[in-house]
Amino acid sequence: MGICVQRGGPLTTVQDKGRLGYQNLGFSASGAMDRRALRLANLLLDNEENDAVLEVTMVGPKFTFESPNCFVLTGADLKASLNGQVLETNRVYAAGAGDVVDFPQSFPSRGARAYIGFAGGLDLPPLMGSRSTYLKGKMGGLEGRGLKTGDRLEFLAPRPQLPNLEKRRLPEDFETVYGGRQVKIRVILGPQEDSFTPEGLKLFLNQPYRVTPNSDRMGSRLDGPVIPHKGRADIISDGIAFGAIQVPSEGKPIILLADRQSTGGYTKIANVITVDLPKVAQRMVGDEIRFEAVSVEQAQQWLRQEEEALEKAARAWQTRPSFWKRLLGAR
Amino acid sequence: MMEKTRILLAGDSAVSVQFGDAIDPEIYARVRALYESLKGEKIPGVTELIPTFRSLMVQYDPRQLGYEQLKGQLEARLEKLGRAQQPPKKVITIPVCFGGSWGEDLEEVARYHDTTPERIVELFCSSEFLIYMLGFTPGYPYIGGVPRELVTPRLDSPRLKVPAGTVGIGGEQLGIYPIESPGGFRLVGNTPVRLYDPENRQTPVLLEAGEYIRFTSIGPEEYEQIRRQVEEGSYRCQIREG
């Protein structure tokens, strides 16, 4: 037993950490766009780190619990409600059979993607080690597509009750802010930063770029001042990492995201640092981005600090020693 | 002269180890050697390896492995690379029905090279082509080392839909489209063999980087016959090793 979908919303997909280890065969990694929100959802529910959640885009679905389970909303606050009562994000709730979760049909003010985690995860057959939906490949998740009316999703190992339910929330001061309509995104230059003129690099790091409507789970296409290349914009195709910023010959940057192609033949000016990827994933059309270059050492230090802060927060509700062993063993 | 190997930053969770700036079997052999080395004796914290024409992308988890640490370990591996064992050559035969509705650009490719369609097919079927990498879509092989008489520019504007199984040529590359997708290559034929089969959970992808392809020309009847066998799951491509 699990949930029954009354309305799928424009794009609600099943996602986990992605299809890892198959990019060498041409598969997109996929997975949640906002990895921190995925991690938070699973941490708050004592789930496995890679349990599957629902990723909601802009406008949420409506569904009914067919059996009781605990659940949580993370990521952007899209003002979801449980039986008409507005829910807080980053806080675990217990739902009973027949309870209805609904999202308003208007656009949110802040952030593009919300995540719905269920205790024990969702029961779908993993494909190559992942339950993530890869839309362009029509694979993974629920038949490789977004949710629609009448779909049923089963819980894998539901836990209608969780210890310390009241404590399962993030402290108010916990940094989950995704910023306003103008954000700073930190990047590490490379691997092909020397393909651009010094003026081109200066423009990239000093001028604002806007998110265009041609953005999706594959990439965020930006508009702004043209970044000139020294020579050709094409390279011999090489590997692409999450957050790579490629600049094709027209000179407008594209940030490659969860459903990115594994390889590509355009010059990559920089790569978004891991702790700022959620910020990119939460951008809406028209938002303004300014890039700032940082060092790899600094970026990795921020990532370790973020991890420590998450673990510290989780101690407030986490009591099972096995959980800590697992968490520490994974490092 | 071999260019100096460079370890390029691709963000805080990946590096691109670049061996040169050309599509060249010798450069590629070094990509493969590092790939095999890292696949065999793993570096803890490395999460993914993507071999490409002239570089190897190494993705890693910085919470387990810092950049300087990874760089040091990669440099140590690179120093020992010369002694890395190359795996035996593996050649997979791909049956292709050339021309007509299977490859609508064959005649144009022949005209471009001022020759006959038969000669183009002969050129296709007389070489063993190295698969440098997989990418673009699941199971799509990037094939280099194309004879000069086959090099044909890509279409000015890509087709929105190229059927699955289509064999095409674009510049110095050959490709086979595993799934229907957009594509700018010139289409010369079609294979009934499935390069990507999501139903096959063990090996959804037929080809691997580092393997070789040999094309063999088949007629429409044989095409149908093989297509039926593929559907039943009884068709096996001919494979030669060594």
Side-chain angles (χ1 to χ4, degrees):
Chain A
M1 293 286 263
I3 59 163
C4 177
V5 178
Q6 269 88 56
R7 189 185 67 234
L11 183 62
T12 304
T13 57
V14 177
Q15 299 293 346
D16 56 19
K17 282 167 71 181
R19 208 152 273 115
L20 304 175
Y22 294 93
Q23 291 182 78
N24 61 322
L25 299 179
F27 287 89
S28 165
S30 303
M33 290 277 275
D34 182 343
R35 294 298 156 94
R36 185 168 52 203
L38 166 74
R39 176 116 172 81
L40 269 176
N42 283 331
L43 261 181
L44 283 161
L45 293 163
D46 290 0
N47 281 357
E48 298 288 333
E49 230 187 283
N50 199 30
D51 275 340
V53 303
L54 294 177
E55 180 180 278
V56 171
T57 319
M58 303 298 285
V59 178
K62 180 182 181 184
F63 61 86
T64 305
F65 280 85
E66 295 191 307
S67 58
N69 199 3
C70 286
F71 74 102
V72 68
L73 299 160
T74 61
D77 185 0
L78 303 189
K79 307 287 175 221
S81 61
L82 179 68
N83 301 329
Q85 196 129 25
V86 174
L87 297 167
E88 289 173 34
T89 51
N90 302 315
R91 174 177 182 178
V92 176
Y93 294 90
D99 283 358
V100 178
V101 171
D102 197 2
F103 285 76
Q105 296 292 287
S106 61
F107 276 56
S109 56
R110 230 182 224 195
R113 291 179 170 88
Y115 293 81
I116 312 169
F118 301 94
L122 291 168
D123 186 15
L124 288 155
L127 179 65
M128 299 188 293
S130 167
R131 295 182 172 88
S132 286
T133 312
Y134 173 39
L135 294 165
K136 288 195 168 72
K138 297 188 179 70
M139 57 183 277
L142 189 67
E143 299 166 3
R145 59 170 173 83
L147 298 194
K148 59 179 197 214
T149 307
D151 281 340
R152 284 193 149 79
L153 288 168
E154 305 279 317
F155 301 133
L156 187 62
R159 291 191 300 273
Q161 263 125 39
L162 281 170
N164 300 333
L165 191 66
E166 278 305 307
K167 290 184 189 160
R168 290 176 185 274
R169 57 205 295 183
L170 282 183
E172 301 252 322
D173 59 348
F174 197 89
E175 177 72 50
T176 54
V177 178
Y178 295 114
R181 303 307 302 262
Q182 297 173 323
V183 293
K184 183 183 75 184
I185 299 291
R186 293 164 295 182
V187 300
I188 295 167
L189 291 177
Q192 282 100 30
E193 81 272 29
D194 51 9
S195 297
F196 299 88
T197 62
E199 296 74 38
L201 278 173
K202 225 178 189 174
L203 284 171
F204 173 70
L205 293 172
N206 287 294
Q207 296 297 314
Y209 286 87
R210 270 178 200 287
V211 179
T212 72
N214 292 327
S215 302
D216 58 14
R217 283 184 40 88
M218 188 174 184
S220 193
R221 298 180 81 111
L222 308 180
D223 198 6
V226 168
I227 303 164
H229 295 79
K230 273 186 204 157
R232 287 159 49 90
D234 295 358
I235 55 163
I236 297 171
S237 295
D238 66 1
I240 294 179
F242 198 174
I245 305 173
Q246 68 178 19
V247 183
S249 53
E250 62 167 11
K252 307 278 175 80
I254 302 168
I255 310 178
L256 293 165
L257 300 168
D259 281 355
R260 67 194 176 278
Q261 63 278 37
S262 53
T263 59
Y266 294 120
T267 41
K268 292 173 284 296
I269 192 167
N271 212 107
V272 176
I273 67 172
T274 303
V275 292
D276 280 359
L277 280 171
K279 237 189 212 177
V280 177
Q282 293 294 354
R283 295 278 61 75
M284 296 190 290
V285 172
D287 281 4
E288 198 179 283
I289 289 177
R290 277 173 197 268
F291 295 106
E292 181 188 299
V294 297
S295 73
V296 62
E297 289 80 9
Q298 181 66 77
Q300 295 189 337
Q301 197 188 329
W302 284 325
L303 181 61
R304 283 190 291 265
Q305 281 168 359
E306 182 183 86
E307 186 64 21
E308 277 160 26
L310 275 174
E311 289 177 9
K312 190 167 160 249
R315 276 185 209 127
W317 63 80
Q318 192 39 254
T319 49
R320 283 188 305 162
S322 63
F323 174 86
W324 284 106
K325 221 171 124 192
R326 197 173 70 220
L327 201 68
L328 296 171
R331 302 194 74 187
Chain B
M1 263 301 281
M2 197 69 91
E3 257 180 80
K4 196 178 173 301
T5 302
R6 299 167 69 197
I7 298 177
L8 304 172
L9 283 170
D12 58 23
S13 305
V15 294
S16 191
V17 185
Q18 191 171 304
F19 293 91
D21 195 17
I23 300 180
D24 173 279
E26 269 185 46
I27 292 171
Y28 183 67
R30 292 179 49 81
V31 175
R32 289 302 298 181
L34 182 63
Y35 177 59
E36 296 296 336
S37 161
L38 293 175
K39 254 190 359 179
E41 198 189 320
K42 294 188 170 64
I43 298 176
V46 168
T47 54
E48 193 124 11
L49 301 168
I50 311 176
T52 64
F53 286 110
R54 44 79 190 247
S55 63
L56 178 71
M57 172 161 275
V58 179
Q59 298 182 356
Y60 63 104
D61 182 350
R63 291 170 302 178
Q64 287 183 58
L65 181 66
Y67 166 68
E68 283 299 331
Q69 258 176 303
L70 173 69
K71 191 163 169 254
Q73 297 220 35
L74 287 175
E75 279 163 352
R77 289 296 176 96
L78 288 168
E79 245 166 58
K80 296 189 293 190
L81 262 201
R83 278 168 278 155
Q85 189 101 39
Q86 288 289 320
K89 189 175 177 181
K90 190 171 167 189
V91 186
I92 295 150
T93 301
I94 302 286
V96 176
C97 189
F98 286 95
S101 60
W102 292 274
E104 49 186 294
D105 300 332
L106 178 65
E107 304 230 342
E108 207 184 311
V109 170
R111 263 201 303 280
Y112 178 84
H113 290 285
D114 213 4
T115 182
T116 61
E118 290 73 24
R119 174 65 187 150
I120 298 293
V121 172
E122 194 187 314
L123 282 165
F124 257 88
C125 297
S126 56
S127 293
E128 285 169 357
F129 296 106
L130 173 59
I131 302 168
Y132 279 87
M133 57 193 260
L134 300 185
F136 180 50
T137 60
Y140 178 94
Y142 284 81
I143 304 165
V146 174
R148 204 173 310 142
E149 305 111 284
L150 278 180
V151 174
T152 318
R154 293 177 196 215
L155 298 173
D156 289 336
S157 171
R159 285 183 172 91
L160 290 176
K161 277 182 181 179
V162 175
T166 299
V167 178
I169 183 153
E172 293 171 47
Q173 288 177 29
L174 299 183
I176 311 172
Y177 292 84
I179 56 175
E180 184 188 275
S181 58
F185 279 27
R186 312 265 175 179
L187 317 181
V188 296
N190 190 285
T191 177
V193 169
R194 280 190 196 146
L195 271 64
Y196 167 58
D197 182 3
E199 309 283 304
N200 186 337
R201 288 177 173 267
Q202 298 309 310
T203 46
V205 164
L206 176 71
L207 305 169
E208 266 196 65
E211 296 174 345
Y212 288 77
I213 285 180
R214 176 178 270 283
F215 293 107
T216 168
S217 176
I218 55 170
E221 275 160 40
E222 205 179 335
Y223 181 97
E224 264 313 299
Q225 204 184 329
I226 295 175
R227 195 188 58 78
R228 277 197 299 273
Q229 287 174 7
V230 167
E231 219 144 86
E232 288 167 9
S234 63
Y235 186 78
R236 297 284 172 274
C237 286
Q238 202 187 313
I239 296 170
R240 190 167 55 76
E241 279 190 71

